[in-house]
C-alpha cells in the first residue's frame, strides 16, 4: 500500500512540474550565430603612403603616393556568443603613385600591388547580432617601383598592418564593410637607383562586400 501511495505522489509531482519545464523550454532562445563561416568578397579602396629616403644626400619631399585600390578578400569567422574571431587575406591591384622631389631632382614612385593577412577580433550588436565592430592586425606586403635620374628599380616590402572597421549583415549571406588600416612597410634598398634605402608607411581605407556561405 505504501508503495502505491509513493508512486501516486510521484506522478502528481511530475505532472505539476511539466508546465514549468515547458515554460522554460519556450523561454530559451539559442545564441545567435550569424557570423560563423567562410566568406569571399571584393573591395575598392584608397591609399595614401609616405616615402622616406635620401637621393644623393637629399631627403624626399612632396608626395605622397596615393590612388585607388581594387581587390578582393577571403576569410573565415567564428562567433562565440557576442564575440567574433576571424582571419582574412586580401590582395589589391594598385593605381597609387607619387611624384617626389630631392632638392630639384624628381623621384617617381609607383605602388603596384598590396596584400595583407590579418586576424580579426570583434563584437556584434544590433538586431539579430547583424552588426560587427572589429579590430584587425597582421602582416602586409606591397610592391614599389622607384625611378630617379633615368634609373629604376623595384622591391617588395614586408611589414605590419593594424586597423579596424564596421561590417553589417544585410541578408543571411551578404554583408557590407568599411575598414581603415595603418601600414608600415619598413625599409628596402634599391640597388639600381644609387643603392638608396627607402621606407614606406601610410593609410588605407576600404569599402567592400562579402558573400557568406
Amino acid at each position: 500500500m505504501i508503495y502505491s501511495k509513493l508512486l501516486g505522489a510521484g506522478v502528481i509531482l511530475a505532472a505539476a512540474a511539466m508546465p514549468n519545464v515547458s515554460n522554460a523550454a519556450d523561454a530559451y532562445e539559442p545564441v545567435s550565430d550569424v557570423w560563423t563561416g567562410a566568406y569571399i568578397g571584393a573591395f575598392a579602396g584608397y591609399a595614401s603612403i609616405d616615402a622616406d629616403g635620401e637621393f644623393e644626400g637629399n631627403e624626399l619631399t612632396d608626395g605622397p603616393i596615393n590612388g585607388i585600390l581594387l581587390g578582393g578578400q577571403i576569410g573565415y569567422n567564428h562567433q562565440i556568443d557576442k564575440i567574433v574571431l576571424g582571419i582574412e587575406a586580401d590582395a589589391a591591384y594598385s593605381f597609387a603613385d607619387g611624384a617626389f622631389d630631392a632638392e630639384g631632382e624628381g623621384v617617381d614612385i609607383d605602388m603596384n600591388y598590396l596584400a595583407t593577412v590579418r586576424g580579426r577580433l570583434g563584437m556584434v550588436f544590433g538586431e539579430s547580432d547583424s552588426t560587427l565592430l572589429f579590430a584587425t592586425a597582421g602582416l602586409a606586403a606591397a610592391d614599389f617601383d622607384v625611378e630617379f635620374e633615368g634609373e629604376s628599380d623595384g622591391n617588395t616590402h614586408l611589414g605590419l598592418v593594424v586597423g579596424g572597421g564596421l561590417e553589417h549583415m544585410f541578408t543571411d549571406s551578404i554583408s557590407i564593410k568599411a575598414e581603415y588600416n595603418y601600414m608600415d612597410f619598413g625599409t628596402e634598398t634599391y640597388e639600381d637607383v644609387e643603392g638608396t634605402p627607402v621606407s614606406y608607411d601610410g593609410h588605407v581605407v576600404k569599402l567592400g562586400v562579402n558573400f557568406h556561405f
Side-chain angles (χ1 to χ4, degrees):
M1 178 67 69
I2 188 170
Y3 292 110
S4 63
K5 290 182 178 180
L6 289 173
L7 179 60
V11 170
I12 292 171
L13 289 173
M18 286 300 293
N20 294 330
V21 172
S22 177
N23 291 338
D26 292 339
Y28 173 74
E29 294 182 3
V31 174
S32 175
D33 196 16
V34 297
W35 291 94
T36 294
Y39 61 88
I40 190 169
F43 71 89
Y46 189 83
S48 180
I49 308 295
D50 291 318
D52 186 20
E54 291 187 358
F55 289 77
E56 295 183 342
N58 301 311
E59 291 188 0
L60 289 174
T61 58
D62 296 337
I65 303 161
N66 51 30
I68 293 172
L69 306 171
L70 295 176
Q73 65 269 346
I74 187 170
Y76 184 85
N77 293 318
H78 182 69
Q79 183 176 346
I80 306 171
D81 196 7
K82 296 291 185 179
I83 302 300
V84 175
L85 304 173
I87 185 169
E88 182 174 286
D90 63 15
Y93 181 81
S94 169
F95 297 90
D97 57 19
F100 294 81
D101 182 79
E103 288 297 323
E105 296 292 339
V107 180
D108 295 321
I109 304 179
D110 295 333
M111 184 168 71
N112 302 313
Y113 72 79
L114 173 68
T116 72
V117 177
R118 295 170 286 105
R120 301 204 311 171
L121 172 62
M123 177 173 290
V124 296
F125 59 94
E127 185 177 353
S128 302
D129 293 345
S130 57
T131 302
L132 171 66
L133 179 67
F134 64 88
T136 184
L139 302 176
D143 187 74
F144 295 90
D145 287 336
V146 173
E147 184 175 347
F148 174 67
E149 292 187 337
E151 298 178 335
S152 62
D153 196 6
N155 260 321
T156 298
H157 288 239
L158 300 178
L160 301 175
V161 52
V162 296
L166 192 68
E167 188 168 358
H168 182 75
M169 194 79 74
F170 282 94
T171 72
D172 291 340
S173 59
I174 299 176
S175 65
I176 292 179
K177 71 169 184 174
E179 183 175 330
Y180 163 78
N181 295 153
Y182 170 76
M183 302 183 182
D184 187 338
F185 295 105
T187 304
E188 296 289 343
T189 299
Y190 291 77
E191 298 292 350
D192 294 338
V193 185
E194 311 240 343
T196 302
V198 183
S199 60
Y200 304 97
D201 73 297
H203 313 278
V204 172
V205 291
K206 307 171 188 173
L207 183 63
V209 57
N210 285 321
F211 301 91
H212 300 255
F213 51 92

